Amino acid sequence: MITNHNELKNTARLAGIWYLLMAISGIFGFLIFHSEVYTSDPQQTLKNLTESESTARIRLLLEFAIIISQALTAIWFYKLFRKINQTAALATMVWGTVNSMVIMLSAIAMAVAMSVAASELIVEDKILLVDLLTKMSAKSWSIGSLFFGLWLIPLGFIITSSKGMPLWLGRVLILGGIGYLLNAFFRYGGVSASWVEYLTIPASVAEFWMIGYLLIFGIRPESDSATAE
């Protein structure tokens, strides 16, 4: 039993590593490199793609890292939780993988934008195409947040029902998942209030909490779970 739990804890920590890599690549991709390349002005974006090709390539590679780490996190969550609740673990893996595939559309748009910038098209056509591709990348992320919200809900349900991790971690994950869904619906429903962006805050809190718990503690053994109940 101890050996089985040690294996489970190792799986939990590896899931935490993939989740951390996803967070790091996302932070670097969006907070550091994205605005250096992609802006609201397509003419400036084209200039950035042309004159700062290395920065654009780093941004694209970070998108690759997000895609891969998201998919690996989803698979390792299934390995970690399938014996606790196979249906919820499968939903977490499938919806997390779908989110990874949606992000791939963003990466494709970025790659095509780089090709357009380096092509022999006239400048006016380049600007129009770069504008379209930049918006496609952005909308892939914003609409893809539906599945990023969806995968947090069964993940939170597993944690609240199993007691293998803190009860409130599971609850905040569920709240964060619902927040992502509402954010997407409100945004595309025409609600432009500033509070709409705050709906994703619980998800960010829960995800970093989840990463920390997986890396530091892994998962509690069944005996501890029973005591915690």
Side-chain angles (χ1 to χ4, degrees):
M1 185 67 99
I2 293 176
T3 301
N4 289 339
H5 178 66
N6 286 337
E7 292 176 357
L8 200 62
K9 185 179 288 187
N10 290 335
T11 301
R13 285 184 171 146
L14 193 50
I17 290 172
W18 300 137
Y19 213 162
L20 178 62
L21 288 175
M22 183 172 68
I24 291 172
S25 54
I27 289 171
F28 273 85
F30 278 99
L31 298 184
I32 298 177
F33 288 97
H34 194 81
S35 61
E36 296 293 319
V37 182
Y38 300 96
T39 72
S40 58
D41 180 0
Q43 190 169 357
Q44 180 62 48
T45 299
L46 176 60
K47 182 179 179 181
N48 294 339
L49 288 168
T50 304
E51 298 180 358
S52 304
E53 183 182 348
S54 59
T55 303
R57 290 189 182 280
I58 291 172
R59 176 66 188 96
L60 180 59
L61 292 176
L62 286 168
E63 202 83 336
F64 289 176
I66 295 170
I67 293 166
I68 294 169
S69 55
Q70 165 80 77
L72 290 172
T73 303
I75 292 170
W76 255 258
F77 276 159
Y78 177 75
K79 292 177 63 177
L80 179 63
F81 296 122
R82 69 181 187 273
K83 291 183 180 178
I84 297 173
N85 187 321
Q86 186 168 12
T87 301
L90 183 61
T92 301
M93 180 182 71
V94 171
W95 290 340
T97 304
V98 169
N99 188 65
S100 180
M101 294 171 67
V102 173
I103 298 171
M104 194 181 298
L105 296 177
S106 171
I108 292 170
M110 289 181 184
V112 175
M114 291 174 61
S115 297
V116 168
S119 71
E120 296 181 357
L121 292 170
I122 61 174
V123 174
E124 288 77 9
D125 287 345
K126 287 185 179 183
I127 292 173
L128 287 174
L129 287 172
V130 165
D131 186 36
L132 175 63
L133 292 164
T134 300
K135 289 176 179 176
M136 182 182 293
S137 173
K139 298 309 179 186
S140 296
W141 270 94
S142 58
I143 296 176
S145 66
L146 287 171
F147 278 97
F148 203 74
L150 279 175
W151 92 311
L152 295 179
I153 295 173
L155 180 61
F157 176 77
I158 293 168
I159 294 172
T160 56
S161 60
S162 70
K163 307 298 188 298
M165 292 180 177
L167 176 64
W168 272 100
L169 171 57
R171 289 175 175 172
V172 178
L173 280 167
I174 293 172
L175 182 63
I178 295 171
Y180 260 111
L181 296 177
L182 292 175
N183 175 274
F185 273 96
F186 283 137
R187 183 187 303 174
Y188 287 97
V191 180
S192 57
S194 59
W195 57 264
V196 172
E197 299 304 320
Y198 299 149
L199 292 171
T200 61
I201 291 177
S204 299
V205 173
E207 287 177 304
F208 281 104
W209 186 358
M210 181 77 172
I211 291 170
Y213 196 90
L214 287 168
L215 292 175
I216 297 171
F217 302 107
I219 188 169
R220 286 196 294 254
E222 292 182 5
S223 58
D224 288 356
S225 299
T227 303
E229 294 176 358

